[in-house]
Amino acid sequence: MKVYELAKELGITPKELISFLRENGYKVSSHMQKLDDDAIDFTNNNFVKVNNTPTDNKAVTTSENESAKPQPVKIHKTFNPNDEIPCKSVTPWKLTAVGVDKNTVYHWEYFGDIEYIKYRDLQALRRTEYVTKPSFIIMDEDLVEQWKRELGDRYKYFKSIDYPEEYFDMDDDEFKDMIKSAPEWLGEIVKVTAMTMIRAENYPSIEKIKTIDDMLGTCIKEFI
């Protein structure tokens, strides 16, 4: 089992799991790294046991409180310059962005990591490839709605995708249809992810590799 797979089972980010394992003496460098049985057992017996109980209690309390409260009427949200907006990386490599003051640096280690960007800095990035490509996706629904002209339908490619390897869980025909209609930047994500999986000996299907080579002009099959 790989780091990102165990993290998904636990409902946490790979970054959180990597930090936990490192703090307990395990050498982990990537969300694609395979974990041995000892690391998996240690995590299940310690991380989950320590963290699940308060989370479950909180969920019950929140649910009870919410059921007793009237549902608020949705209004057009306004943002202040220092409001922090959660943004999730959809880039399969390290990503950084610099704030308008040139001193603030936002950093994502892996695809799926979340960084909180001040609204003023996000505004400065609004028409750059960070947002329009995108390199990360904005997780505030109100802001996504307000910026839908810039965002278009790009986010549909990341629906239900927590990690780029999940594109390779599609059946072969669905994968081919996605590649056929994919914008260039998504093709780059798929190509990089395929090579990363091969290096980690987590081989995509031959049919998917053939689709990538034929439709995106690569020679990935030569590395298998």
Side-chain angles (χ1 to χ4, degrees):
M1 178 180 287
K2 293 182 172 58
V3 171
Y4 80 89
E5 293 172 328
L6 180 57
K8 187 174 182 180
E9 284 190 4
L10 297 174
I12 60 175
T13 66
K15 188 174 183 179
E16 289 174 313
L17 180 53
I18 289 171
S19 296
F20 172 79
L21 289 169
R22 285 176 177 172
E23 288 170 1
N24 287 281
Y26 292 92
K27 294 182 179 180
V28 184
S29 59
S30 166
H31 74 297
M32 288 295 294
Q33 183 171 325
K34 292 181 179 179
L35 296 173
D36 58 26
D37 291 340
D38 179 62
I40 294 171
D41 290 342
F42 179 83
T43 302
N44 285 329
N45 292 332
N46 292 276
F47 188 95
V48 177
K49 185 182 295 182
V50 171
N51 289 278
N52 267 0
T53 302
T55 301
D56 290 343
N57 289 342
K58 183 178 180 181
V60 171
T61 303
T62 302
S63 178
E64 291 174 350
N65 290 341
E66 287 181 352
S67 64
K69 293 179 180 178
Q71 293 299 313
V73 177
K74 188 174 180 64
I75 60 175
H76 187 73
K77 185 176 179 180
T78 58
F79 296 89
N80 296 316
N82 288 323
D83 285 348
E84 295 185 328
I85 312 298
C87 298
K88 183 173 76 171
S89 171
V90 289
T91 303
W93 50 79
K94 291 182 180 180
L95 179 67
T96 58
V98 180
V100 293
D101 61 6
K102 305 300 181 184
N103 294 318
T104 303
V105 179
Y106 303 101
H107 176 77
W108 298 261
E109 189 74 16
Y110 307 114
F111 187 114
D113 281 358
I114 296 174
E115 180 69 282
Y116 287 79
I117 303 180
K118 289 184 178 180
Y119 179 67
R120 65 183 181 191
D121 294 331
L122 203 51
Q123 275 280 22
L125 298 171
R126 183 171 181 172
R127 291 179 175 82
T128 69
E129 287 191 349
Y130 283 101
V131 173
T132 61
K133 190 176 180 179
S135 299
F136 56 72
I137 59 176
I138 299 165
M139 300 183 68
D140 186 293
E141 293 182 0
D142 292 281
L143 188 55
V144 170
E145 176 64 23
Q146 292 176 33
W147 288 11
K148 60 184 177 182
R149 177 177 296 181
E150 288 89 348
L151 299 176
D153 64 350
R154 293 171 180 82
Y155 284 13
K156 71 179 182 181
Y157 295 104
F158 304 107
K159 187 177 181 180
S160 302
I161 297 292
D162 293 318
Y163 308 101
E165 293 82 6
E166 291 178 334
Y167 288 116
F168 293 86
D169 292 336
M170 297 177 175
D171 64 48
D172 291 339
D173 288 337
E174 184 182 7
F175 183 82
K176 184 177 292 186
D177 289 341
M178 181 196 73
I179 295 298
K180 187 183 299 183
S181 63
E184 184 178 348
W185 50 264
L186 183 58
E188 289 299 317
I189 291 175
V190 170
K191 287 188 286 186
V192 170
T193 302
M195 289 302 302
T196 301
M197 293 173 70
I198 290 170
R199 292 191 190 100
E201 299 182 358
N202 179 25
Y203 298 103
S205 72
I206 294 297
E207 186 61 31
K208 288 185 175 67
I209 293 300
K210 185 176 184 300
T211 295
I212 295 171
D213 284 348
D214 291 347
M215 302 182 75
L216 299 180
T218 58
C219 298
I220 294 177
K221 63 184 178 184
E222 295 181 4
F223 293 90
I224 298 178

